[in-house]
Amino acid sequence: GESVGLHLPTLSVQEGDNSIINCAYSNSASDYFIWYKQESGKGPQFIIDIRSNMDKRQGQRVTVLLNKTVKHLSLQIAATQPGDSAVYFCAEKTRGSQGNLIFGKGTKLSVKP
Amino acid sequence: GAVVSQHPSWVICKSGTSVKIECRSLDFQATTMFWYRQFPKQSLMLMATSNEGSKATYEQGVEKDKFLINHASLTLSTLTVTSAHPEDSSFYICSALGTLDTEAFFGQGTRLTVV
């Protein structure tokens, strides 16, 4: 059920700065990871993905880093813009699963103009 | 990318009534769809995995008789919240697995409010 008073971690950055959002995962059997952006009242929007045989992948203004040793995933957003303000979730897929994703807790990114 | 459409985007219903939410893959066939539930300021929690032509697989703690899932075609899965109560008020999101079985495409979500 709903947890009263639960707040998402918040990252506040200045427009134009770089943002780094972190995520820890627990299942060493996970072989595919995705970052999603979710705006208020909307479904998750795919940003970038990475497979476990890689440690870095770059997209347009975004980079995902994977450290399997410590089970850590990060999303770097270059030159953060006000439109980047949203909640960001990492998600993992376990090898051999049907494809269902396990989502992390989420981080709220606020961009100050 | 592939498009997944959910309907309705929001619904208000009276306690004790049932509500059906539809999830459609518009430009691809999805043998597997997933239903998630999200409370305010929380993450998405998987409720069930829906496979076309077979019974859904429910996560632990999710009542299958309360959350009825039907996946009768390769482009449509429905979630029916039966005898809804205020504690069922939440944001329900579906996703469909693409043909490459990697990326999951999400619907825009349905805000259910039970009064």
Side-chain angles (χ1 to χ4, degrees):
Chain A
E2 184 174 350
S3 298
V4 176
L6 183 68
H7 295 284
L8 287 168
T10 299
L11 174 65
S12 187
V13 300
Q14 204 70 39
E15 181 179 0
D17 288 351
N18 296 333
S19 303
I20 300 176
I21 300 171
N22 297 302
C23 177
Y25 66 95
S26 56
N27 195 339
S28 56
S30 293
D31 62 353
Y32 180 58
F33 304 87
I34 310 173
W35 279 100
Y36 286 96
K37 173 185 180 182
Q38 187 180 30
E39 296 173 316
S40 182
K42 297 183 179 180
Q45 177 186 351
F46 174 91
I47 300 174
I48 192 168
D49 60 357
I50 189 168
R51 294 198 174 278
S52 59
N53 61 353
M54 302 172 69
D55 53 22
K56 180 178 180 179
R57 190 157 187 240
Q58 287 185 293
Q60 189 177 17
R61 276 203 311 122
V62 294
T63 301
V64 54
L65 298 177
L66 174 62
N67 185 331
K68 294 182 288 294
T69 302
V70 295
K71 298 194 188 73
H72 185 267
L73 197 66
S74 70
L75 175 70
Q76 299 177 3
I77 304 174
T80 314
Q81 302 167 359
D84 295 327
S85 294
V87 178
Y88 290 80
F89 293 97
C90 67
E92 60 185 294
K93 186 177 80 69
T94 305
R95 187 181 304 116
S97 72
Q98 276 194 284
N100 53 288
L101 297 172
I102 306 300
F103 282 79
K105 288 183 169 55
T107 297
K108 182 177 180 179
L109 176 64
S110 293
V111 182
K112 294 175 286 187
Chain B
V3 178
V4 173
S5 176
Q6 251 181 273
H7 179 81
S9 56
W10 62 270
V11 57
I12 302 173
C13 72
K14 290 186 177 180
S15 187
T17 61
S18 296
V19 173
K20 180 186 285 188
I21 302 170
E22 294 185 347
C23 180
R24 293 181 185 274
S25 56
L26 296 186
D27 50 1
F28 69 102
Q29 293 184 329
T31 55
T32 304
M33 290 186 176
F34 305 97
W35 286 97
Y36 293 84
R37 181 174 180 175
Q38 185 179 31
F39 289 110
K41 298 184 179 179
Q42 293 192 30
S43 189
L44 285 74
M45 296 299 294
L46 180 67
M47 298 175 68
T49 301
S50 168
N51 291 298
E52 187 266 338
S54 64
K55 290 184 179 180
T57 304
Y58 290 81
E59 294 299 299
Q60 192 172 10
V62 178
E63 299 175 58
K64 60 179 170 63
D65 294 329
K66 181 168 183 60
F67 298 99
L68 301 178
I69 291 173
N70 184 285
H71 193 159
S73 79
L74 287 171
T75 58
L76 174 64
S77 176
T78 60
L79 169 68
T80 301
V81 183
T82 62
S83 187
H85 289 102
E87 56 265 31
D88 298 323
S89 298
S90 189
F91 195 52
Y92 292 86
I93 307 170
C94 73
S95 73
L97 203 59
T99 52
L100 293 179
D101 288 346
T102 51
E103 185 179 344
F105 302 96
F106 283 83
Q108 70 270 40
T110 298
R111 170 73 59 195
L112 170 63
T113 303
V114 184
V115 298

